[in-house]
């Protein structure tokens, strides 16, 4: 599966953005899909994930209550709605997908074989 992330931009603290991860080549509903982010000089960190079937979601504590991950199988796209953005949310955001990710590594970058190219999110104070 090929992934294309989009929707990033420059916003002010408190604003909202919606990122999109469009899949091609395979049906995204068959995959666990996650968002990770990487700030300059830091490691790539887990943000959110959505599982197959019932679409159970998982979030990093730092974004819980502010970010929502969702999937539109008809559009073969996964979204990350980001509300109440903070300067510390500034990073490059990557979407990732894998058919074989299990619960124990759903927050681990090693759990995903397919990655999009990243989209920059900058939040000014």
């Amino acid at each position: 599966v090929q992934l294309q992330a989009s929707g990033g931009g420059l916003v002010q603290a408190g604003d909202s953005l919606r990122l999109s991860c469009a899949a091609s080549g395979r049906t995204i509903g068959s995959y666990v899909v996650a968002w990770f982010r990487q700030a300059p000089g830091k490691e790539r960190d887990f943000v959110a994930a959505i599982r197959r079937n019932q679409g159970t979601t998982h979030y990093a504590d730092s974004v819980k209550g502010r970010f929502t991950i969702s999937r539109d199988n008809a559009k073969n796209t996964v979204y990350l709605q980001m509300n109440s953005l903070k300067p510390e949310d500034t990073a490059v955001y990557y979407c990732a997908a894998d058919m074989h990710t299990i619960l124990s590594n759903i927050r681990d970058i090693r759990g995903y074989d397919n990655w999009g190219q990243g989209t920059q999110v900058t939040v000014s104070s």
Side-chain angles (χ1 to χ4, degrees):
V1 65
Q2 290 77 48
L3 304 174
Q4 179 78 30
S6 62
L10 172 62
V11 297
Q12 293 186 333
D15 286 349
S16 298
L17 275 176
R18 188 178 76 162
L19 305 184
S20 299
C21 177
S24 59
R26 301 291 292 270
T27 303
I28 203 168
S30 300
Y31 291 78
V32 175
V33 181
W35 288 94
F36 290 79
R37 65 186 181 186
Q38 188 166 20
K42 295 190 177 181
E43 295 182 346
R44 192 170 296 188
D45 292 330
F46 172 79
V47 176
I50 186 165
R51 294 164 64 183
R52 296 179 294 262
N53 301 327
Q54 291 85 3
T56 305
T57 56
H58 303 262
Y59 296 95
D61 288 343
S62 59
V63 307
K64 199 172 295 182
R66 300 188 297 123
F67 291 11
T68 302
I69 189 171
S70 62
R71 159 198 319 266
D72 186 335
N73 289 338
K75 295 184 177 180
N76 222 27
T77 300
V78 169
Y79 301 100
L80 184 68
Q81 178 67 44
M82 306 186 296
N83 298 328
S84 302
L85 282 162
K86 304 175 181 180
E88 51 264 43
D89 295 318
T90 295
V92 177
Y93 283 70
Y94 298 89
C95 61
D98 201 284
M99 295 183 72
H100 306 293
T101 306
I102 57 177
L103 185 58
S104 62
N105 65 359
I106 202 168
R107 297 168 183 259
D108 191 334
I109 59 173
R110 294 169 294 183
Y112 300 87
D113 285 340
N114 305 285
W115 290 82
Q117 84 289 2
T119 184
Q120 176 71 47
V121 172
T122 303
V123 184
S124 63
S125 57

